[in-house]
Amino acid sequence: MAHLLSTSYSLKLSSSRRPFSQPFHECPTKCSTFTLGTSKSPFKRVVLQGGRQQTSCVVRATAVPISQETPTQSRSGSHQNSSKPSKPKRVMVIGGDGYCGWATALHLSNKGYEVAIVDSLIRRLFDHQLGLDSLTPIASIHNRLRCWQSVTGKTIELYIGDICDFEFLSETFNSFEPDGVVHFGEQRSAPYSMIDRNRAVFTQHNNVIGTLNVLFAIKEFRDQCHLVKLGTMGEYGTPNIDIEEGYITINHNGRTDTLPFPKQASSFYHLSKVHDSNNIAFTCKAWGIRATDLNQGVVYGVRTDETEMHEELFNRLDYDGVFGTALNRFCVQAAVGHPLTVYGKGGQTRGYLDIRDTVQCVELAIANPAQPGEFRVFNQFTEQFSVNELASLVTKTGEKLGLDVKTISVPNPRVEAEEHYYNAKHTKLIELGLKPHLLSDSLLDSLLNFAIKFKDRVDTKQIMPSVSWKKIGVKPKTVAA
């Protein structure tokens, strides 16, 4: 855990199992205190190089300056006893140290919400395991939050722990008392879930059990709390019909019904998302939970208004073959002179969106919550592109910047259709007020220049795909140094 602690903190071990509820404050000249506890089930199935398992201590509390009295935070109290929730709303962002979660936490805080980040920091461990790194240098979560308070005067609370540990999650819910939960806290990579059996099992256990725990926590402690869950457009697959937003009306043998849209997941990661959606839909029906499932397309970009405020607020940008997404990868490849890696025929078409629209969509979902017992599904993307179309756009923009951009076709490591029909509906968020940032020459120019600025940090050995859907096996796969 040494990497979690900066030198400005003193460490205090406590036998208490209750976390402090005070927010994380910056204290540039005075020492602060952490309270640590051990989780009963942290990261049980995380596999290190050589197949060893990692057990970790979990920070169960936020930090508060020793000499500074914490201001009293307003609480909405029990929803059952109040017809009007307090303003601003209290929003828990699970997975708030990640790519989408960090940008969202800052955006909501900047908009006046009281925000808490809940994160196990395991995404950073994945990089250490696989020898990967973000294109951008990213500060520790503690330095990030210090910087945010220094720049804006706003405080974000921090709870570090594993949501698969229900005791930790329960204490966190009772401490923060959220009006809304934004759930990004899942292993998000399809290739990672296809590396080997251990990582496939970890992905499904972490994602499905973690989400189940969130559902039970809402039921037991905050039954009017609105769950905003990040799903994926990958749940639908690539059917030869239009993709509706969550539900489809079917006429069959003279009878009509509206049913969940069929799911055709294409990896163990995507299957975990399907399981999540089924569990959430069931608990909305059985327990009256209110939930919004955001089936998000492929996200690109790195800058938001908030992450641009200071270099210690920079978001991560992954370009490797495990966690990197198509457009981000292509821009980094162009910046370092590596041919753009088009998988197979390149006709794979998906929905895409700017990360600035991710945070906007989440805010819209929170501001317009689902009704008790309602399970809403929004398709969260703004445009559709094939891989070949993205490669062409990056090539043209790169040439304007003086880059010699080439494209190669590499054997497709995935099992997927490389040429197919694809037309997905995405109107519900527009109706709520989404104002999309569409992909433009200026945005691509900005992203390419950003990649060029940090190109010395690129490890070109990580660019080519190394995970095969067909070659996944039982033996834990290690990464050569």
Side-chain angles (χ1 to χ4, degrees):
M1 287 290 291
H3 65 286
L4 299 181
L5 306 174
S6 78
T7 55
S8 63
Y9 290 96
S10 63
L11 189 63
K12 180 175 73 175
L13 293 177
S14 171
S15 60
S16 171
R17 301 198 65 81
R18 283 189 60 82
F20 291 103
S21 61
Q22 288 92 340
F24 182 105
H25 291 279
E26 182 187 16
C27 187
T29 59
K30 297 185 179 180
C31 191
S32 299
T33 303
F34 274 132
T35 299
L36 299 185
T38 55
S39 171
K40 291 183 179 179
S41 59
F43 325 145
K44 283 185 177 178
R45 300 302 301 165
V46 179
V47 179
L48 297 175
Q49 187 166 349
R52 299 187 306 276
Q53 295 180 16
Q54 170 81 1
T55 301
S56 176
C57 191
V58 175
V59 179
R60 287 183 166 277
T62 55
V64 60
I66 289 174
S67 60
Q68 179 178 341
E69 184 176 350
T70 303
T72 301
Q73 297 290 322
S74 64
R75 289 289 197 266
S76 62
S78 172
H79 286 271
Q80 294 94 321
N81 298 327
S82 175
S83 60
K84 293 182 179 179
S86 65
K87 298 294 182 179
K89 290 183 178 179
R90 299 176 62 78
V91 180
M92 176 186 291
V93 181
I94 301 175
D97 188 47
Y99 175 52
C100 293
W102 175 241
T104 298
L106 295 190
H107 179 77
L108 294 176
S109 177
N110 204 33
K111 291 292 184 178
Y113 290 87
E114 295 179 19
V115 176
I117 286 175
V118 178
D119 204 299
S120 67
L121 307 185
I122 198 170
R123 174 63 188 85
R124 295 176 185 249
L125 178 62
F126 292 159
D127 278 351
H128 291 307
Q129 289 178 341
L130 300 176
L132 309 176
D133 202 357
S134 165
L135 175 74
T136 49
I138 54 173
S140 72
I141 186 62
H142 308 92
N143 288 339
R144 282 175 154 185
L145 295 182
R146 285 192 199 92
C147 182
W148 179 245
Q149 188 186 26
S150 177
V151 170
T152 67
K154 298 177 183 296
T155 296
I156 295 177
E157 297 189 35
L158 175 63
Y159 299 85
I160 298 177
D162 183 4
I163 65 170
C164 289
D165 174 1
F166 189 70
E167 184 177 357
F168 162 77
L169 186 63
S170 301
E171 292 172 345
T172 301
F173 260 74
N174 285 323
S175 173
F176 184 68
E177 298 181 347
D179 302 306
V181 172
V182 181
H183 184 13
F184 291 109
E186 300 195 320
Q187 193 294 102
R188 67 170 179 84
S189 165
Y192 186 90
S193 75
M194 302 300 293
I195 291 175
D196 54 33
R197 187 203 68 86
N198 282 319
R199 290 180 173 92
V201 170
F202 169 80
T203 297
Q204 297 222 347
H205 180 272
N206 180 80
N207 294 3
V208 178
I209 302 305
T211 297
L212 269 175
N213 280 349
V214 171
L215 292 168
F216 272 96
I218 291 173
K219 178 182 184 293
E220 291 298 315
F221 308 119
R222 303 292 290 177
D223 65 355
Q224 291 301 305
C225 180
H226 178 213
L227 172 63
V228 178
K229 168 67 165 59
L230 189 73
T232 171
M233 290 297 295
E235 291 186 36
Y236 299 123
T238 54
N240 198 37
I241 58 173
D242 291 354
I243 297 173
E244 304 297 331
E245 295 201 63
Y247 299 91
I248 185 170
T249 299
I250 297 175
N251 297 303
H252 181 65
N253 292 341
R255 302 187 69 83
T256 301
D257 202 352
T258 298
L259 302 169
F261 197 93
K263 306 296 177 68
Q264 300 181 74
S266 59
S267 73
F268 291 118
Y269 154 74
H270 290 104
L271 284 163
S272 76
K273 293 288 193 177
V274 173
H275 303 328
D276 286 341
S277 295
N278 290 333
N279 285 336
I280 297 170
F282 169 73
T283 56
C284 287
K285 181 186 300 184
W287 301 340
I289 284 177
R290 57 177 80 204
T292 301
D293 204 5
L294 299 176
N295 281 343
Q296 182 167 254
V298 184
V299 184
Y300 59 82
V302 67
R303 291 169 162 161
T304 62
D305 291 343
E306 292 78 21
T307 62
E308 284 289 275
M309 290 181 180
H310 192 279
E311 63 183 12
E312 284 204 335
L313 300 177
F314 278 177
N315 204 349
R316 67 179 307 121
L317 193 149
D318 300 302
Y319 62 88
D320 58 87
V322 177
F323 290 100
T325 56
L327 185 57
N328 287 349
R329 278 170 50 78
F330 283 173
C331 287
V332 172
Q333 290 167 10
V336 298
H338 191 287
L340 309 188
T341 53
V342 172
Y343 292 175
K345 297 178 180 178
Q348 302 93 318
T349 302
R350 303 289 188 269
Y352 289 81
L353 77 162
D354 190 303
I355 193 167
R356 293 173 294 179
D357 292 336
T358 291
V359 302
Q360 191 184 167
C361 290
V362 172
E363 184 191 0
L364 285 168
I366 292 171
N368 301 276
Q371 296 301 310
E374 181 184 11
F375 177 55
R376 302 186 304 187
V377 181
F378 297 160
N379 290 346
Q380 183 171 300
F381 70 97
T382 57
E383 298 176 275
Q384 293 182 178
F385 298 100
S386 71
V387 174
N388 284 330
E389 288 171 334
L390 291 179
S392 177
L393 290 170
V394 171
T395 298
K396 291 177 182 177
T397 304
E399 289 173 348
K400 293 178 183 177
L401 296 177
L403 301 174
D404 182 19
V405 184
K406 305 294 184 184
T407 299
I408 58 172
S409 175
V410 301
N412 193 344
R414 304 187 178 211
V415 177
E416 62 183 358
E418 297 177 2
E419 295 176 317
H420 56 85
Y421 177 80
Y422 197 81
N423 184 40
K425 307 293 180 62
H426 56 111
T427 60
K428 293 182 180 179
L429 284 161
I430 298 293
E431 292 167 0
L432 286 180
L434 173 64
K435 295 178 173 57
H437 297 82
L438 301 181
L439 187 59
S440 63
D441 290 345
S442 61
L443 190 145
L444 271 175
D445 182 285
S446 173
L447 188 53
L448 277 166
N449 275 308
F450 195 84
I452 292 169
K453 177 180 178 180
F454 292 102
K455 69 177 184 179
D456 290 343
R457 289 178 51 85
V458 175
D459 178 1
T460 56
K461 296 192 299 296
Q462 303 298 338
I463 289 178
M464 295 298 290
S466 60
V467 179
S468 169
W469 264 230
K470 292 185 177 180
K471 294 180 181 179
I472 183 173
V474 171
K475 182 179 179 181
K477 186 174 180 181
T478 59
V479 179

